[in-house]
Each structure stands twice: as C-alpha cells, then as structure tokens.
C-alpha cells in the first residue's frame, strides 16, 4: 500500500459576498451578476458558497431553463466550489473528479450538474488572497485555487433525519447503482491520488496516531495493525474501481415524501474525494458515516445498507467478510487524520463536527465481537432477500 501521503493543503481564503460576486462575473464572462441569498456551507478543506440568482446559468448539458421550467421556480440556486491547486497533480485530480461527476450525470444518476464558464470551460484556476483576485491564474502555486460552478440539489442532508430501515436499504441500492456505473469509467490520473483519505495511503497513517488522545492510542495501534495486514493479504482478491469515496450523511440529499411518510433520495453531492480504490471501501465509508445518526441498533442499520448495495452490486465473499475490517480502517482514518488536522487548524469548527459520535462508534466497533456483527448482518440480508422474492 502506498505510504507517500500528499501534504496538508492550504485552505482557500474566506470570501465575502461581494468578492464571490466579482469572481462569478470573471468566471462566467457575464457583464453583470447580482447574487441574492448567499451562504458559505460547512466544509473540510475547500470552500463551498451557496448562492441564488434570478437568471439562469447554462449547464454543461445545455440551458437549464428547460430542465427547470416544470418547477415554476424563477430563482435558481448554485454552488461555487473553490479548492486548493498547489501543483499540476492537484489540477489533474480535480479534472478527473469533475469528469466522473459529469459522466454520472449524463448516465442519469442524481448528482450536481456542471455550469459552463466562459470559453466553454468547466473549471478555472484562480489566484486568491485577502486582497487580490485574478482569474485565470497566471501559474500554479501556493495561492492558486480551482473554481467551478454546480447546480444546487434542493433538499436536506441525511444527517438531519433519523432514517428508516427502508430508506437505508434504498440508499444502499443507490450506492450499488453508483458503483455499477463507475465500473464503466476509467481515469489513470485517479490512480496517482496520495490523499490521506485514499485507502492506498493507509500504510503511511501510523505516524498520525500520536495526534490522538493518549487513552485511544493503544487500541488505534491494534486497529491499524489489523487493517494494514488485511489489505496487504487481500490486495489481489479485492476488486478495484473508481469510487465516490465520501458517501457520508452530509453528502446524501433527501426530500420528504408525504405519500409514503418517508424520504426520497434527491441525489449525492461532493465528488472532491473520488478515488480509484477497493469497491468494499465505498460500502464501508457509507456504513461508518451512517451509523453515527442511528440511535438504536446501528449494526442492524448497517445491515440494510449492505443488503441494498449487494442487491444491485453483488459482493464477493472476500469483500463481504472484509466489510467490518474496512469500516475499522475508515474509523482509524477519520480519528487520526481529523485529530492531526485539528492540531493544524484549531479554528475550523467543521473538523470537530460529529467528533463525539466518532468516539461513540470507536468504542462500539472496538469492543463488539466481529462474529456477532456478521450474525446480525446475515439475518438482515436474509430478511431483505425474503422481501424481494
């Protein structure tokens, strides 16, 4: 497993509404834009600005006026996403990731649509500082960032509700459909990803344990050794493909359905961590994040995600038996990397969000016998299969 990890990236500077408006004019080539409601959304390392316009911006798939005509809405919502671009590799990764999102949208999956910028570009380099804004950037360097525009998916995040087992099953199916479609895409640039969130960088994370709380370090060492050994032993038996790599409760958008008294899946967002990795990691990341928000029987809830995923994208026996270890690997990544980033950016409140829930899952997964977990998952899968027949 690759042990060379990309250094921590510089977060883009915070922009005011006026600065965002000025940047949008440069990006789109419009002579005038007047954004209405404006809000920065919480994010880990990039910047996401949600804004509204009374005019339509042309999407990558044509003028969205026709697409939105049936909604009767006159005001449209968009996202301006800005991320670090200190080198050519970062630029290439960003190109590959928005290419994945674009292809999924074309394939009919519910995800944001890219907005055409001036000269028909889909993204642009910009140079930003507290007092300077230049678009496009003259070169790639420390103060260079990438900017692109997306349509906004209306709804609420899964993190804001308590999902039913039926919804979890449907989310699992949706993730399976995502995996099925991503098999059709390939981009060698994603294989060069050195992010700390890539499973191929797992081997280099042992040194991050020292940033975690002293009373957690011993169990983290044991989790690391177990997971590292598993991926080393099974590297040739696990299927690899392009994965979203961050199907978290904050990146799944849902809308209430009054007829079913439940929620519908509105879409999936944030393709900023797309990676070429093991299929089982996609499912493990989704499980790890989803069980935060389940107050009762989180292991049981994970079973519905697995059953739904397996229904659309059947898992091999090696993948199925490796889910628990893969969830532990994501748990290890999440605690050690976030603890490290908190030490670097103590003022970033987003890093501390859900930290207590992470510790709760840490205690649960580090104490429950694996055999008990699979007994529950086998029963849930059997129940779901019976319902399907």
């Amino acid at each position: 497993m690759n042990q060379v990890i990309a250094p921590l990236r510089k977060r883009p500077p915070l922009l005011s509404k006026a600065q965002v408006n000025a940047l949008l004019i440069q990006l789109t080539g419009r002579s005038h834009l007047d954004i209405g409601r404006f809000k920065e959304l919480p994010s880990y390392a990039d910047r996401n600005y949600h804004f509204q316009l009374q005019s339509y911006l042309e999407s990558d798939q044509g003028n969205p006026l026709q697409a939105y005509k049936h909604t009767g809405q006159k005001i449209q919502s968009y996202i301006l996403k800005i991320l670090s671009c200190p080198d050519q590799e970062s630029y290439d990764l960003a190109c590959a990731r928005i290419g994945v999102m674009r292809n999924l949208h074309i394939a009919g999956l519910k995800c944001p649509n890219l907005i055409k910028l001036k000269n028909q570009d889909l993204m642009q380099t910009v140079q930003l500082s507290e007092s300077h804004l230049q678009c496009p950037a003259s070169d790639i360097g420390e103060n260079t960032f990438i900017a692109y525009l997306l349509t906004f998916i209306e709804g609420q995040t899964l993190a804001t509700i308590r999902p039913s087992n039926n919804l979890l099953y449907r989310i699992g199916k949706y993730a399976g459909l995502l995996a099925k479609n991503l098999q059709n895409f390939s981009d060698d640039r994603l294989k060069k990803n050195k992010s700390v969130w890539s499973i191929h960088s797992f081997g280099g994370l042992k040194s991050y344990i020292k940033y975690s709380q002293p009373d957690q370090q011993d169990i983290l060492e044991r989790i690391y050794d177990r997971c590292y050994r598993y991926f080393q032993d099974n590297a040739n038996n696990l299927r690899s493909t392009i994965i979203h790599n961050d199907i978290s409760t904050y990146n799944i958008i849902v809308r209430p359905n009054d007829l079913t008294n439940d929620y519908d899946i509105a879409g999936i967002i944030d393709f900023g961590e797309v990676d070429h990795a093991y299929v089982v990691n996609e499912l493990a990341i989704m499980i790890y994040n989803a069980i935060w928000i389940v107050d009762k029987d989180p292991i049981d809830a994970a079973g519905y995600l697995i059953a739904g995923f397996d229904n659309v994208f059947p898992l091999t026996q090696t993948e199925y038996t490796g889910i628990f270890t893969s969830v532990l690997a994501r748990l290890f990544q999440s605690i050690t990397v976030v603890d490290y980033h908190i030490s670097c950016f103590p003022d970033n409140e987003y890093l501390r969000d859900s930290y207590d829930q992470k510790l709760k899952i840490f205690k649960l997964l580090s104490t429950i016998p694996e055999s008990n977990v699979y007994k529950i998952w086998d029963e849930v899968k059997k129940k779901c299969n019976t319902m399907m027949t």
Side-chain angles (χ1 to χ4, degrees), residues 17 20 24 35-42 47-53 75-82 149-155:
K17 181 178 180 180
V20 167
L24 288 172
I35 62 177
R37 293 181 61 184
F38 169 84
K39 180 182 180 182
E40 188 202 5
L41 302 179
R47 299 285 184 183
N48 295 281
Y49 300 100
H50 175 210
F51 64 95
Q52 292 184 331
L53 293 174
I75 298 176
Q76 292 305 317
S77 294
Y78 302 93
I79 294 290
L80 168 63
K81 192 173 188 73
I82 303 176
L149 287 168
L150 302 163
T151 54
F152 179 76
I153 296 181
E154 300 288 349

PDB file of all heavy atoms in Angstrom, residues 17 20 24 35-42 47-53 75-82 149-155:
ATOM      1  N   LYS A  17     -19.435  38.162   0.202  1.00  0.00           N
ATOM      2  CA  LYS A  17     -20.449  38.086  -0.853  1.00  0.00           C
ATOM      3  C   LYS A  17     -20.027  38.925  -2.053  1.00  0.00           C
ATOM      4  O   LYS A  17     -20.170  38.487  -3.206  1.00  0.00           O
ATOM      5  CB  LYS A  17     -21.800  38.568  -0.308  1.00  0.00           C
ATOM      6  CG  LYS A  17     -22.937  38.505  -1.314  1.00  0.00           C
ATOM      7  CD  LYS A  17     -24.244  38.949  -0.679  1.00  0.00           C
ATOM      8  CE  LYS A  17     -25.408  38.897  -1.665  1.00  0.00           C
ATOM      9  NZ  LYS A  17     -26.690  39.321  -1.047  1.00  0.00           N
ATOM     10  N   VAL A  20     -17.288  37.088  -3.965  1.00  0.00           N
ATOM     11  CA  VAL A  20     -17.846  35.965  -4.716  1.00  0.00           C
ATOM     12  C   VAL A  20     -18.552  36.475  -5.965  1.00  0.00           C
ATOM     13  O   VAL A  20     -18.416  35.908  -7.048  1.00  0.00           O
ATOM     14  CB  VAL A  20     -18.810  35.140  -3.832  1.00  0.00           C
ATOM     15  CG1 VAL A  20     -19.626  34.170  -4.681  1.00  0.00           C
ATOM     16  CG2 VAL A  20     -18.030  34.389  -2.763  1.00  0.00           C
ATOM     17  N   LEU A  24     -17.593  35.468  -9.738  1.00  0.00           N
ATOM     18  CA  LEU A  24     -18.580  34.861 -10.644  1.00  0.00           C
ATOM     19  C   LEU A  24     -18.621  35.588 -11.978  1.00  0.00           C
ATOM     20  O   LEU A  24     -18.749  34.969 -13.037  1.00  0.00           O
ATOM     21  CB  LEU A  24     -19.963  34.869  -9.994  1.00  0.00           C
ATOM     22  CG  LEU A  24     -20.184  33.884  -8.841  1.00  0.00           C
ATOM     23  CD1 LEU A  24     -21.530  34.145  -8.172  1.00  0.00           C
ATOM     24  CD2 LEU A  24     -20.109  32.449  -9.333  1.00  0.00           C
ATOM     25  N   ILE A  35     -26.004  38.442  -7.138  1.00  0.00           N
ATOM     26  CA  ILE A  35     -26.452  37.280  -6.387  1.00  0.00           C
ATOM     27  C   ILE A  35     -27.384  37.700  -5.256  1.00  0.00           C
ATOM     28  O   ILE A  35     -27.229  38.763  -4.659  1.00  0.00           O
ATOM     29  CB  ILE A  35     -25.264  36.453  -5.845  1.00  0.00           C
ATOM     30  CG1 ILE A  35     -24.394  37.266  -4.875  1.00  0.00           C
ATOM     31  CG2 ILE A  35     -24.404  35.940  -6.975  1.00  0.00           C
ATOM     32  CD1 ILE A  35     -23.259  36.433  -4.287  1.00  0.00           C
ATOM     33  N   GLY A  36     -28.354  36.843  -5.001  1.00  0.00           N
ATOM     34  CA  GLY A  36     -29.314  37.109  -3.936  1.00  0.00           C
ATOM     35  C   GLY A  36     -28.853  36.470  -2.637  1.00  0.00           C
ATOM     36  O   GLY A  36     -27.815  36.831  -2.083  1.00  0.00           O
ATOM     37  N   ARG A  37     -29.623  35.514  -2.146  1.00  0.00           N
ATOM     38  CA  ARG A  37     -29.252  34.842  -0.890  1.00  0.00           C
ATOM     39  C   ARG A  37     -27.881  34.187  -1.042  1.00  0.00           C
ATOM     40  O   ARG A  37     -27.551  33.615  -2.084  1.00  0.00           O
ATOM     41  CB  ARG A  37     -30.301  33.802  -0.521  1.00  0.00           C
ATOM     42  CG  ARG A  37     -31.647  34.405  -0.149  1.00  0.00           C
ATOM     43  CD  ARG A  37     -32.650  33.336   0.246  1.00  0.00           C
ATOM     44  NE  ARG A  37     -32.196  32.583   1.413  1.00  0.00           N
ATOM     45  CZ  ARG A  37     -32.848  31.540   1.923  1.00  0.00           C
ATOM     46  NH1 ARG A  37     -33.979  31.126   1.348  1.00  0.00           N
ATOM     47  NH2 ARG A  37     -32.382  30.907   2.982  1.00  0.00           N
ATOM     48  N   PHE A  38     -27.100  34.257   0.027  1.00  0.00           N
ATOM     49  CA  PHE A  38     -25.707  33.828  -0.047  1.00  0.00           C
ATOM     50  C   PHE A  38     -25.300  33.218   1.286  1.00  0.00           C
ATOM     51  O   PHE A  38     -25.614  33.753   2.350  1.00  0.00           O
ATOM     52  CB  PHE A  38     -24.823  35.040  -0.373  1.00  0.00           C
ATOM     53  CG  PHE A  38     -23.344  34.793  -0.229  1.00  0.00           C
ATOM     54  CD1 PHE A  38     -22.626  34.217  -1.263  1.00  0.00           C
ATOM     55  CD2 PHE A  38     -22.670  35.153   0.934  1.00  0.00           C
ATOM     56  CE1 PHE A  38     -21.260  33.995  -1.135  1.00  0.00           C
ATOM     57  CE2 PHE A  38     -21.309  34.937   1.073  1.00  0.00           C
ATOM     58  CZ  PHE A  38     -20.605  34.353   0.028  1.00  0.00           C
ATOM     59  N   LYS A  39     -24.610  32.077   1.218  1.00  0.00           N
ATOM     60  CA  LYS A  39     -24.176  31.426   2.453  1.00  0.00           C
ATOM     61  C   LYS A  39     -22.998  30.509   2.163  1.00  0.00           C
ATOM     62  O   LYS A  39     -22.999  29.775   1.168  1.00  0.00           O
ATOM     63  CB  LYS A  39     -25.335  30.602   3.042  1.00  0.00           C
ATOM     64  CG  LYS A  39     -24.990  29.872   4.337  1.00  0.00           C
ATOM     65  CD  LYS A  39     -26.178  29.038   4.817  1.00  0.00           C
ATOM     66  CE  LYS A  39     -25.842  28.298   6.109  1.00  0.00           C
ATOM     67  NZ  LYS A  39     -26.980  27.454   6.565  1.00  0.00           N
ATOM     68  N   GLU A  40     -21.992  30.553   3.037  1.00  0.00           N
ATOM     69  CA  GLU A  40     -20.927  29.571   2.926  1.00  0.00           C
ATOM     70  C   GLU A  40     -21.378  28.303   3.643  1.00  0.00           C
ATOM     71  O   GLU A  40     -21.852  28.360   4.784  1.00  0.00           O
ATOM     72  CB  GLU A  40     -19.618  30.056   3.548  1.00  0.00           C
ATOM     73  CG  GLU A  40     -18.475  29.090   3.240  1.00  0.00           C
ATOM     74  CD  GLU A  40     -17.305  29.168   4.214  1.00  0.00           C
ATOM     75  OE1 GLU A  40     -17.383  29.903   5.202  1.00  0.00           O
ATOM     76  OE2 GLU A  40     -16.327  28.454   3.971  1.00  0.00           O
ATOM     77  N   LEU A  41     -21.224  27.166   2.985  1.00  0.00           N
ATOM     78  CA  LEU A  41     -21.597  25.886   3.576  1.00  0.00           C
ATOM     79  C   LEU A  41     -20.395  25.282   4.304  1.00  0.00           C
ATOM     80  O   LEU A  41     -19.250  25.480   3.890  1.00  0.00           O
ATOM     81  CB  LEU A  41     -22.084  24.924   2.488  1.00  0.00           C
ATOM     82  CG  LEU A  41     -23.281  25.410   1.657  1.00  0.00           C
ATOM     83  CD1 LEU A  41     -23.651  24.365   0.608  1.00  0.00           C
ATOM     84  CD2 LEU A  41     -24.475  25.718   2.546  1.00  0.00           C
ATOM     85  N   PRO A  42     -20.634  24.544   5.391  1.00  0.00           N
ATOM     86  CA  PRO A  42     -19.526  23.916   6.119  1.00  0.00           C
ATOM     87  C   PRO A  42     -18.760  22.962   5.204  1.00  0.00           C
ATOM     88  O   PRO A  42     -19.351  22.263   4.386  1.00  0.00           O
ATOM     89  CB  PRO A  42     -20.226  23.154   7.244  1.00  0.00           C
ATOM     90  CG  PRO A  42     -21.565  23.795   7.384  1.00  0.00           C
ATOM     91  CD  PRO A  42     -21.943  24.263   6.025  1.00  0.00           C
ATOM     92  N   ARG A  47     -13.835  25.401  -0.044  1.00  0.00           N
ATOM     93  CA  ARG A  47     -14.887  26.390   0.236  1.00  0.00           C
ATOM     94  C   ARG A  47     -16.062  26.122  -0.683  1.00  0.00           C
ATOM     95  O   ARG A  47     -15.886  25.889  -1.886  1.00  0.00           O
ATOM     96  CB  ARG A  47     -14.383  27.818  -0.004  1.00  0.00           C
ATOM     97  CG  ARG A  47     -13.209  28.247   0.862  1.00  0.00           C
ATOM     98  CD  ARG A  47     -13.641  28.551   2.286  1.00  0.00           C
ATOM     99  NE  ARG A  47     -12.510  29.062   3.072  1.00  0.00           N
ATOM    100  CZ  ARG A  47     -12.569  29.358   4.357  1.00  0.00           C
ATOM    101  NH1 ARG A  47     -13.695  29.189   5.036  1.00  0.00           N
ATOM    102  NH2 ARG A  47     -11.504  29.825   5.001  1.00  0.00           N
ATOM    103  N   ASN A  48     -17.261  26.166  -0.126  1.00  0.00           N
ATOM    104  CA  ASN A  48     -18.484  25.962  -0.902  1.00  0.00           C
ATOM    105  C   ASN A  48     -19.448  27.103  -0.608  1.00  0.00           C
ATOM    106  O   ASN A  48     -19.889  27.260   0.533  1.00  0.00           O
ATOM    107  CB  ASN A  48     -19.129  24.631  -0.527  1.00  0.00           C
ATOM    108  CG  ASN A  48     -18.270  23.442  -0.912  1.00  0.00           C
ATOM    109  OD1 ASN A  48     -18.231  23.037  -2.061  1.00  0.00           O
ATOM    110  ND2 ASN A  48     -17.558  22.879   0.064  1.00  0.00           N
ATOM    111  N   TYR A  49     -19.755  27.887  -1.631  1.00  0.00           N
ATOM    112  CA  TYR A  49     -20.643  29.036  -1.466  1.00  0.00           C
ATOM    113  C   TYR A  49     -21.970  28.761  -2.178  1.00  0.00           C
ATOM    114  O   TYR A  49     -22.005  28.539  -3.388  1.00  0.00           O
ATOM    115  CB  TYR A  49     -19.998  30.304  -2.044  1.00  0.00           C
ATOM    116  CG  TYR A  49     -18.695  30.658  -1.367  1.00  0.00           C
ATOM    117  CD1 TYR A  49     -17.466  30.330  -1.950  1.00  0.00           C
ATOM    118  CD2 TYR A  49     -18.683  31.319  -0.135  1.00  0.00           C
ATOM    119  CE1 TYR A  49     -16.266  30.663  -1.333  1.00  0.00           C
ATOM    120  CE2 TYR A  49     -17.486  31.653   0.490  1.00  0.00           C
ATOM    121  CZ  TYR A  49     -16.292  31.316  -0.104  1.00  0.00           C
ATOM    122  OH  TYR A  49     -15.100  31.637   0.520  1.00  0.00           O
ATOM    123  N   HIS A  50     -23.041  28.763  -1.398  1.00  0.00           N
ATOM    124  CA  HIS A  50     -24.386  28.565  -1.937  1.00  0.00           C
ATOM    125  C   HIS A  50     -24.982  29.949  -2.208  1.00  0.00           C
ATOM    126  O   HIS A  50     -25.027  30.793  -1.314  1.00  0.00           O
ATOM    127  CB  HIS A  50     -25.237  27.792  -0.931  1.00  0.00           C
ATOM    128  CG  HIS A  50     -26.662  27.631  -1.341  1.00  0.00           C
ATOM    129  ND1 HIS A  50     -27.697  27.536  -0.439  1.00  0.00           N
ATOM    130  CD2 HIS A  50     -27.238  27.541  -2.576  1.00  0.00           C
ATOM    131  CE1 HIS A  50     -28.828  27.397  -1.083  1.00  0.00           C
ATOM    132  NE2 HIS A  50     -28.577  27.398  -2.386  1.00  0.00           N
ATOM    133  N   PHE A  51     -25.435  30.156  -3.446  1.00  0.00           N
ATOM    134  CA  PHE A  51     -25.999  31.464  -3.791  1.00  0.00           C
ATOM    135  C   PHE A  51     -27.174  31.290  -4.745  1.00  0.00           C
ATOM    136  O   PHE A  51     -27.334  30.239  -5.375  1.00  0.00           O
ATOM    137  CB  PHE A  51     -24.935  32.377  -4.417  1.00  0.00           C
ATOM    138  CG  PHE A  51     -24.394  31.884  -5.733  1.00  0.00           C
ATOM    139  CD1 PHE A  51     -24.933  32.326  -6.930  1.00  0.00           C
ATOM    140  CD2 PHE A  51     -23.349  30.969  -5.775  1.00  0.00           C
ATOM    141  CE1 PHE A  51     -24.443  31.879  -8.153  1.00  0.00           C
ATOM    142  CE2 PHE A  51     -22.854  30.508  -6.988  1.00  0.00           C
ATOM    143  CZ  PHE A  51     -23.392  30.975  -8.173  1.00  0.00           C
ATOM    144  N   GLN A  52     -27.980  32.338  -4.833  1.00  0.00           N
ATOM    145  CA  GLN A  52     -29.153  32.316  -5.707  1.00  0.00           C
ATOM    146  C   GLN A  52     -29.087  33.444  -6.725  1.00  0.00           C
ATOM    147  O   GLN A  52     -28.547  34.522  -6.455  1.00  0.00           O
ATOM    148  CB  GLN A  52     -30.440  32.447  -4.884  1.00  0.00           C
ATOM    149  CG  GLN A  52     -30.704  31.224  -4.002  1.00  0.00           C
ATOM    150  CD  GLN A  52     -32.025  31.322  -3.260  1.00  0.00           C
ATOM    151  OE1 GLN A  52     -32.496  32.414  -2.949  1.00  0.00           O
ATOM    152  NE2 GLN A  52     -32.631  30.183  -2.961  1.00  0.00           N
ATOM    153  N   LEU A  53     -29.642  33.155  -7.901  1.00  0.00           N
ATOM    154  CA  LEU A  53     -29.724  34.136  -8.981  1.00  0.00           C
ATOM    155  C   LEU A  53     -31.139  34.146  -9.540  1.00  0.00           C
ATOM    156  O   LEU A  53     -31.845  33.134  -9.493  1.00  0.00           O
ATOM    157  CB  LEU A  53     -28.760  33.782 -10.118  1.00  0.00           C
ATOM    158  CG  LEU A  53     -27.257  33.855  -9.851  1.00  0.00           C
ATOM    159  CD1 LEU A  53     -26.502  33.332 -11.066  1.00  0.00           C
ATOM    160  CD2 LEU A  53     -26.823  35.282  -9.533  1.00  0.00           C
ATOM    161  N   ILE A  75     -36.162  31.695  -9.275  1.00  0.00           N
ATOM    162  CA  ILE A  75     -34.862  31.863  -8.642  1.00  0.00           C
ATOM    163  C   ILE A  75     -34.170  30.506  -8.595  1.00  0.00           C
ATOM    164  O   ILE A  75     -34.753  29.522  -8.153  1.00  0.00           O
ATOM    165  CB  ILE A  75     -35.010  32.436  -7.221  1.00  0.00           C
ATOM    166  CG1 ILE A  75     -35.652  33.825  -7.285  1.00  0.00           C
ATOM    167  CG2 ILE A  75     -33.663  32.511  -6.530  1.00  0.00           C
ATOM    168  CD1 ILE A  75     -35.926  34.433  -5.931  1.00  0.00           C
ATOM    169  N   GLN A  76     -32.928  30.464  -9.068  1.00  0.00           N
ATOM    170  CA  GLN A  76     -32.192  29.209  -9.101  1.00  0.00           C
ATOM    171  C   GLN A  76     -30.995  29.255  -8.160  1.00  0.00           C
ATOM    172  O   GLN A  76     -30.390  30.306  -7.950  1.00  0.00           O
ATOM    173  CB  GLN A  76     -31.727  28.900 -10.521  1.00  0.00           C
ATOM    174  CG  GLN A  76     -32.872  28.585 -11.480  1.00  0.00           C
ATOM    175  CD  GLN A  76     -33.751  27.455 -10.981  1.00  0.00           C
ATOM    176  OE1 GLN A  76     -33.257  26.451 -10.481  1.00  0.00           O
ATOM    177  NE2 GLN A  76     -35.054  27.613 -11.106  1.00  0.00           N
ATOM    178  N   SER A  77     -30.670  28.122  -7.607  1.00  0.00           N
ATOM    179  CA  SER A  77     -29.583  28.015  -6.647  1.00  0.00           C
ATOM    180  C   SER A  77     -28.383  27.302  -7.266  1.00  0.00           C
ATOM    181  O   SER A  77     -28.541  26.349  -8.025  1.00  0.00           O
ATOM    182  CB  SER A  77     -30.042  27.245  -5.407  1.00  0.00           C
ATOM    183  OG  SER A  77     -31.033  27.949  -4.706  1.00  0.00           O
ATOM    184  N   TYR A  78     -27.206  27.783  -6.898  1.00  0.00           N
ATOM    185  CA  TYR A  78     -25.962  27.224  -7.413  1.00  0.00           C
ATOM    186  C   TYR A  78     -24.929  27.109  -6.292  1.00  0.00           C
ATOM    187  O   TYR A  78     -25.090  27.695  -5.219  1.00  0.00           O
ATOM    188  CB  TYR A  78     -25.401  28.109  -8.533  1.00  0.00           C
ATOM    189  CG  TYR A  78     -26.345  28.307  -9.693  1.00  0.00           C
ATOM    190  CD1 TYR A  78     -27.206  29.402  -9.741  1.00  0.00           C
ATOM    191  CD2 TYR A  78     -26.386  27.397 -10.746  1.00  0.00           C
ATOM    192  CE1 TYR A  78     -28.085  29.578 -10.803  1.00  0.00           C
ATOM    193  CE2 TYR A  78     -27.255  27.564 -11.807  1.00  0.00           C
ATOM    194  CZ  TYR A  78     -28.109  28.658 -11.836  1.00  0.00           C
ATOM    195  OH  TYR A  78     -28.969  28.825 -12.884  1.00  0.00           O
ATOM    196  N   ILE A  79     -23.881  26.374  -6.586  1.00  0.00           N
ATOM    197  CA  ILE A  79     -22.746  26.245  -5.678  1.00  0.00           C
ATOM    198  C   ILE A  79     -21.474  26.687  -6.407  1.00  0.00           C
ATOM    199  O   ILE A  79     -21.206  26.229  -7.523  1.00  0.00           O
ATOM    200  CB  ILE A  79     -22.556  24.786  -5.198  1.00  0.00           C
ATOM    201  CG1 ILE A  79     -23.723  24.345  -4.329  1.00  0.00           C
ATOM    202  CG2 ILE A  79     -21.231  24.637  -4.447  1.00  0.00           C
ATOM    203  CD1 ILE A  79     -23.793  25.009  -2.973  1.00  0.00           C
ATOM    204  N   LEU A  80     -20.728  27.584  -5.781  1.00  0.00           N
ATOM    205  CA  LEU A  80     -19.382  27.910  -6.247  1.00  0.00           C
ATOM    206  C   LEU A  80     -18.418  27.129  -5.363  1.00  0.00           C
ATOM    207  O   LEU A  80     -18.380  27.327  -4.148  1.00  0.00           O
ATOM    208  CB  LEU A  80     -19.103  29.412  -6.131  1.00  0.00           C
ATOM    209  CG  LEU A  80     -17.637  29.825  -6.319  1.00  0.00           C
ATOM    210  CD1 LEU A  80     -17.147  29.500  -7.727  1.00  0.00           C
ATOM    211  CD2 LEU A  80     -17.445  31.315  -6.014  1.00  0.00           C
ATOM    212  N   LYS A  81     -17.663  26.231  -5.964  1.00  0.00           N
ATOM    213  CA  LYS A  81     -16.721  25.404  -5.213  1.00  0.00           C
ATOM    214  C   LYS A  81     -15.300  25.866  -5.514  1.00  0.00           C
ATOM    215  O   LYS A  81     -14.926  26.021  -6.690  1.00  0.00           O
ATOM    216  CB  LYS A  81     -16.884  23.929  -5.592  1.00  0.00           C
ATOM    217  CG  LYS A  81     -16.158  22.974  -4.660  1.00  0.00           C
ATOM    218  CD  LYS A  81     -16.517  21.528  -4.995  1.00  0.00           C
ATOM    219  CE  LYS A  81     -15.952  20.569  -3.967  1.00  0.00           C
ATOM    220  NZ  LYS A  81     -16.651  20.618  -2.674  1.00  0.00           N
ATOM    221  N   ILE A  82     -14.533  26.082  -4.463  1.00  0.00           N
ATOM    222  CA  ILE A  82     -13.143  26.522  -4.605  1.00  0.00           C
ATOM    223  C   ILE A  82     -12.259  25.574  -3.801  1.00  0.00           C
ATOM    224  O   ILE A  82     -12.508  25.333  -2.618  1.00  0.00           O
ATOM    225  CB  ILE A  82     -12.942  27.962  -4.107  1.00  0.00           C
ATOM    226  CG1 ILE A  82     -13.884  28.917  -4.849  1.00  0.00           C
ATOM    227  CG2 ILE A  82     -11.496  28.402  -4.294  1.00  0.00           C
ATOM    228  CD1 ILE A  82     -13.816  30.356  -4.353  1.00  0.00           C
ATOM    229  N   LEU A 149     -18.530  25.808 -10.987  1.00  0.00           N
ATOM    230  CA  LEU A 149     -19.913  26.068 -10.604  1.00  0.00           C
ATOM    231  C   LEU A 149     -20.770  24.820 -10.811  1.00  0.00           C
ATOM    232  O   LEU A 149     -20.599  24.090 -11.788  1.00  0.00           O
ATOM    233  CB  LEU A 149     -20.491  27.214 -11.439  1.00  0.00           C
ATOM    234  CG  LEU A 149     -19.984  28.617 -11.107  1.00  0.00           C
ATOM    235  CD1 LEU A 149     -20.403  29.598 -12.192  1.00  0.00           C
ATOM    236  CD2 LEU A 149     -20.505  29.070  -9.763  1.00  0.00           C
ATOM    237  N   LEU A 150     -21.697  24.623  -9.882  1.00  0.00           N
ATOM    238  CA  LEU A 150     -22.582  23.463  -9.927  1.00  0.00           C
ATOM    239  C   LEU A 150     -24.023  23.874  -9.666  1.00  0.00           C
ATOM    240  O   LEU A 150     -24.274  24.869  -8.975  1.00  0.00           O
ATOM    241  CB  LEU A 150     -22.184  22.454  -8.835  1.00  0.00           C
ATOM    242  CG  LEU A 150     -20.773  21.898  -8.833  1.00  0.00           C
ATOM    243  CD1 LEU A 150     -20.460  21.271  -7.482  1.00  0.00           C
ATOM    244  CD2 LEU A 150     -20.607  20.883  -9.946  1.00  0.00           C
ATOM    245  N   THR A 151     -24.937  23.111 -10.205  1.00  0.00           N
ATOM    246  CA  THR A 151     -26.328  23.287  -9.803  1.00  0.00           C
ATOM    247  C   THR A 151     -26.478  22.789  -8.363  1.00  0.00           C
ATOM    248  O   THR A 151     -25.761  21.886  -7.929  1.00  0.00           O
ATOM    249  CB  THR A 151     -27.283  22.502 -10.720  1.00  0.00           C
ATOM    250  OG1 THR A 151     -26.866  21.124 -10.754  1.00  0.00           O
ATOM    251  CG2 THR A 151     -27.286  23.075 -12.123  1.00  0.00           C
ATOM    252  N   PHE A 152     -27.402  23.380  -7.632  1.00  0.00           N
ATOM    253  CA  PHE A 152     -27.639  23.018  -6.235  1.00  0.00           C
ATOM    254  C   PHE A 152     -28.795  22.032  -6.163  1.00  0.00           C
ATOM    255  O   PHE A 152     -29.842  22.241  -6.767  1.00  0.00           O
ATOM    256  CB  PHE A 152     -27.974  24.285  -5.435  1.00  0.00           C
ATOM    257  CG  PHE A 152     -28.270  24.035  -3.981  1.00  0.00           C
ATOM    258  CD1 PHE A 152     -27.250  23.767  -3.090  1.00  0.00           C
ATOM    259  CD2 PHE A 152     -29.577  24.079  -3.508  1.00  0.00           C
ATOM    260  CE1 PHE A 152     -27.511  23.542  -1.747  1.00  0.00           C
ATOM    261  CE2 PHE A 152     -29.860  23.865  -2.164  1.00  0.00           C
ATOM    262  CZ  PHE A 152     -28.818  23.596  -1.289  1.00  0.00           C
ATOM    263  N   ILE A 153     -28.604  20.937  -5.442  1.00  0.00           N
ATOM    264  CA  ILE A 153     -29.662  19.937  -5.274  1.00  0.00           C
ATOM    265  C   ILE A 153     -30.480  20.309  -4.042  1.00  0.00           C
ATOM    266  O   ILE A 153     -29.969  20.303  -2.921  1.00  0.00           O
ATOM    267  CB  ILE A 153     -29.088  18.519  -5.139  1.00  0.00           C
ATOM    268  CG1 ILE A 153     -28.367  18.120  -6.430  1.00  0.00           C
ATOM    269  CG2 ILE A 153     -30.198  17.520  -4.826  1.00  0.00           C
ATOM    270  CD1 ILE A 153     -27.775  16.721  -6.402  1.00  0.00           C
ATOM    271  N   GLU A 154     -31.742  20.641  -4.259  1.00  0.00           N
ATOM    272  CA  GLU A 154     -32.615  21.042  -3.155  1.00  0.00           C
ATOM    273  C   GLU A 154     -32.971  19.844  -2.279  1.00  0.00           C
ATOM    274  O   GLU A 154     -33.156  18.730  -2.766  1.00  0.00           O
ATOM    275  CB  GLU A 154     -33.907  21.668  -3.710  1.00  0.00           C
ATOM    276  CG  GLU A 154     -33.695  22.910  -4.563  1.00  0.00           C
ATOM    277  CD  GLU A 154     -33.292  24.136  -3.756  1.00  0.00           C
ATOM    278  OE1 GLU A 154     -33.385  24.081  -2.499  1.00  0.00           O
ATOM    279  OE2 GLU A 154     -32.891  25.145  -4.359  1.00  0.00           O
ATOM    280  N   GLY A 155     -33.066  20.084  -0.997  1.00  0.00           N
ATOM    281  CA  GLY A 155     -33.419  19.035  -0.053  1.00  0.00           C
ATOM    282  C   GLY A 155     -32.685  19.240   1.255  1.00  0.00           C
ATOM    283  O   GLY A 155     -32.235  20.343   1.566  1.00  0.00           O
TER     284      GLY A 155
END
